[in-house]
Amino acid sequence: MAFVLPPMFIVFNAASGQADTLRASEQVASRLRTAGQAHHIFVAQAPGELGSVIGRAVHGARDAGGAVVAAGGDGTLNAVAQAAWNSRLLMGVLPLGTFNYFGRAHGMPTELDDAVDALLRARPRPVPLGLLGERVFLVNASVGLYPRLLLQREQAKRRFGRHRGVALLSGLRTLLRGGSVMTLQLHAQGQMRVVRTRTLFVGNNDLQLHALGLREALAVEQGRLAAITLQPLSTLRTLWLVLRGALGRLDGAEGVDSFAFDRLVVQPRRRATSMQVAMDGEVLRMATPLVFQTAPHPLQLLVPPDEDEEPDA
């Protein structure tokens, strides 16, 4: 039986710093009307409004047997995915962010019109998620250097604009500044290891890990998670590490340790009661110990068919 797209309840986040969000919402609505696709547009206009807007979209999708669609960057996609996953609703994405790792990993184009066309051809597919405590993450979650990098990157974007070049230069500046070193106890696969590291990065996106050249990308493709730790290094060695990452040759680099896992418990050696955590581009504080694991059930995601796949298969 052919799959018929249900009504779409689409969430835009105009408070996320994307200046053209309202124009994009009108563009999407026009294209869906032309295609005859039932839809409803929800726009978060002010900071702090996103949660209530998502709630209205989820309520409408549940009542209508519809799909909730996130239009935005990784932070907006994460917030919608949390609600869709909790409610076991079908979800779609329209990538509008800087890097768009999640959408790109699942075949969604980065040009808006092309993304809408892909969404109109999409079919449900189960997608594994990462879980930190009770919060899902789509791309990555981390502690240490990376949360600080994200905060400084957002400051740079507000000052110089939301461009990839700004994000990359800001990240490089943060790396070269160095920072505090954490001592962490990592419990995984029945073993405990103690590491001194500047950051612990947990990835759930094979596209991002492939770009870095890490073998754990294959494990993520199979539904596991990947952990990467970065040892304290000199400025010169840090620059060499950044170059290797940019060339997709990070695997086996000095100072980098990586491994795949299904469940990882992280306890700071100093028994801190909470840690600053970055999840899909958003920074928050969470109680310790931190428990990373694969989510117990997948997200049902609308994904465009592969080129060799029958559209209605």
Side-chain angles (χ1 to χ4, degrees):
M1 181 182 295
F3 172 75
V4 178
L5 281 172
M8 296 181 182
F9 293 76
I10 307 172
V11 176
F12 288 83
N13 186 10
S16 67
Q18 296 285 352
D20 295 331
T21 300
L22 294 178
R23 180 194 58 79
S25 68
E26 294 169 357
Q27 182 178 344
V28 169
S30 174
R31 205 164 185 86
L32 292 178
R33 280 195 301 270
T34 300
Q37 171 62 42
H39 66 279
H40 304 270
I41 301 291
F42 298 81
V43 181
Q45 300 275 12
E49 194 179 57
L50 182 61
S52 62
V53 169
I54 292 174
R56 294 200 298 273
V58 166
H59 182 78
R62 188 188 295 117
D63 288 348
V68 58
V69 178
D74 286 335
T76 301
L77 267 58
N78 176 285
V80 173
Q82 181 76 61
W85 183 79
N86 286 342
S87 302
R88 294 183 181 256
L89 285 173
L90 187 60
M91 178 178 165
V93 299
L94 292 171
L96 297 177
T98 304
F99 292 98
N100 298 313
Y101 278 119
F102 183 71
R104 288 165 51 210
H106 296 289
M108 292 301 294
T110 55
E111 292 296 325
L112 186 56
D113 284 344
D114 293 339
V116 174
D117 291 343
L119 187 61
L120 288 169
R121 296 184 292 107
R123 301 294 180 264
R125 181 179 299 171
V127 172
L129 299 181
L131 201 62
L132 173 53
E134 297 182 353
R135 297 182 62 105
V136 303
F137 58 95
L138 308 176
V139 180
N140 56 57
S142 61
V143 296
L145 177 66
Y146 197 59
R148 187 165 66 253
L149 183 152
L150 288 177
L151 290 173
Q152 295 182 4
R153 187 179 78 181
E154 285 305 307
Q155 292 176 1
K157 283 182 177 181
R158 284 194 293 269
R159 183 176 179 184
F160 300 109
R162 304 183 72 87
H163 306 289
R164 285 194 183 192
V166 171
L168 292 171
L169 289 173
S170 173
L172 180 61
R173 183 170 176 238
T174 304
L175 280 171
L176 295 180
R177 278 183 172 180
S180 59
V181 177
M182 305 176 296
T183 301
L184 303 175
Q185 293 180 354
L186 307 182
H187 301 261
Q189 318 301 122
Q191 297 181 340
M192 190 272 282
R193 68 178 79 182
V194 177
V195 299
R196 294 183 71 253
T197 182
R198 293 177 65 192
T199 194
L200 167 68
F201 180 94
V202 176
N204 185 45
N205 184 275
D206 62 300
L207 180 65
Q208 187 178 52
L209 297 175
H210 272 303
L212 294 172
L214 291 169
R215 71 184 74 180
E216 282 74 21
L218 298 176
V220 170
E221 287 179 4
Q222 298 167 4
R224 306 188 76 197
L225 298 172
I228 301 99
T229 60
L230 176 63
Q231 297 175 9
L233 297 171
S234 67
T235 299
L236 185 60
R237 288 180 176 177
T238 298
L239 281 171
W240 173 238
L241 201 63
V242 171
L243 178 60
R244 286 192 60 154
L247 295 174
R249 297 172 55 192
L250 202 57
D251 197 54
E254 178 188 6
V256 176
D257 182 32
S258 58
F259 59 92
F261 68 90
D262 299 304
R263 187 174 190 269
L264 172 66
V265 179
V266 179
Q267 178 66 62
R269 195 67 178 272
R270 293 183 178 180
R271 301 292 176 183
T273 57
S274 66
M275 298 185 75
Q276 200 171 53
V277 180
M279 297 181 68
D280 291 342
E282 302 295 323
V283 180
L284 60 154
R285 184 162 288 276
M286 300 187 69
T288 59
L290 303 176
V291 180
F292 298 88
Q293 58 188 321
T294 53
H297 64 85
L299 174 71
Q300 295 297 325
L301 185 69
L302 284 169
V303 175
D306 297 329
E307 291 182 2
D308 58 350
E309 184 180 344
E310 290 293 331
D312 292 327

